Amino acid sequence: MNKVFLIGNLTKDPDVRTTGGGTSVCTFTVAVDRRFKAQNGEKVTDFFTIVAWRQLADLCGRYLAKGRKVSVVGELQNRSYDAKDGSKRYVTEIVADEIEFLTPRDSRDSASYGVPASSDAYRAPAAPMAPEGFTDVDDDDLPF
């Protein structure tokens, strides 16, 4: 089984491109802190390259920006290519199956992510109104 789960912050704005066949592909790097500090007491951070395809790529390009927190589920993939100097290069990437945007769209510091604070496109929808005729019930009153 090849499954990777990550939660981290984007290190820079995502890069969205289109293949010759018209398929969208988005790449970005996520910084993930390790659970434990190094022996010298410093925090250790790993950087992972994420690749998203098609509609997921378009959504990432539209809504993600440097500093945003994301959850990524995907698979680890190794590939190699020949560099211009003739040497063989190896790359390890995470090909995303699912990406969840964890930074709230209406966070107060959204301007630091390159999103205007007053932008309606990034404002969270209003909470739905409670339907009439329903009564709030305390969890302790439930029979199960």
Side-chain angles (χ1 to χ4, degrees), residues 21 39 56 58 64 72 75 79 96 108 115 125 132 134 137:
Q39 282 186 328
L56 186 56
D58 294 332
L64 291 179
V72 178
E75 63 182 39
R79 63 181 174 87
R108 295 184 193 273
V115 180
E132 291 185 35
F134 286 90
V137 177

Side-chain angles (χ1 to χ4, degrees), residues 46-82:
D46 293 305
F47 299 89
F48 298 97
T49 301
I50 312 297
V51 180
W53 291 89
R54 298 174 185 76
Q55 184 180 7
L56 186 56
D58 294 332
L59 291 171
C60 288
R62 181 177 301 154
Y63 294 111
L64 291 179
K66 179 180 178 179
R68 294 277 176 147
K69 186 176 285 288
V70 294
S71 167
V72 178
V73 177
E75 63 182 39
L76 201 58
Q77 190 172 82
N78 294 310
R79 63 181 174 87
S80 63
Y81 64 94
D82 295 323

Side-chain angles (χ1 to χ4, degrees), residues 16-126:
V16 180
R17 298 178 314 278
T18 305
T19 66
T23 304
S24 297
V25 59
C26 178
T27 56
F28 56 91
T29 303
V30 174
V32 179
D33 292 334
R34 291 193 184 176
R35 291 173 38 174
F36 303 102
K37 295 183 179 181
Q39 282 186 328
N40 62 5
E42 290 184 20
K43 162 173 77 168
V44 179
T45 303
D46 293 305
F47 299 89
F48 298 97
T49 301
I50 312 297
V51 180
W53 291 89
R54 298 174 185 76
Q55 184 180 7
L56 186 56
D58 294 332
L59 291 171
C60 288
R62 181 177 301 154
Y63 294 111
L64 291 179
K66 179 180 178 179
R68 294 277 176 147
K69 186 176 285 288
V70 294
S71 167
V72 178
V73 177
E75 63 182 39
L76 201 58
Q77 190 172 82
N78 294 310
R79 63 181 174 87
S80 63
Y81 64 94
D82 295 323
K84 291 181 182 179
D85 64 2
S87 64
K88 191 165 200 100
R89 303 282 170 97
Y90 297 92
V91 178
T92 300
E93 304 167 319
I94 294 155
V95 179
D97 295 323
E98 303 171 33
I99 298 175
E100 186 172 343
F101 307 150
L102 299 177
T103 302
R105 292 187 296 182
D106 64 345
S107 63
R108 295 184 193 273
D109 58 345
S110 62
S112 67
Y113 298 123
V115 180
S118 63
S119 172
D120 289 334
Y122 292 89
R123 186 167 305 197

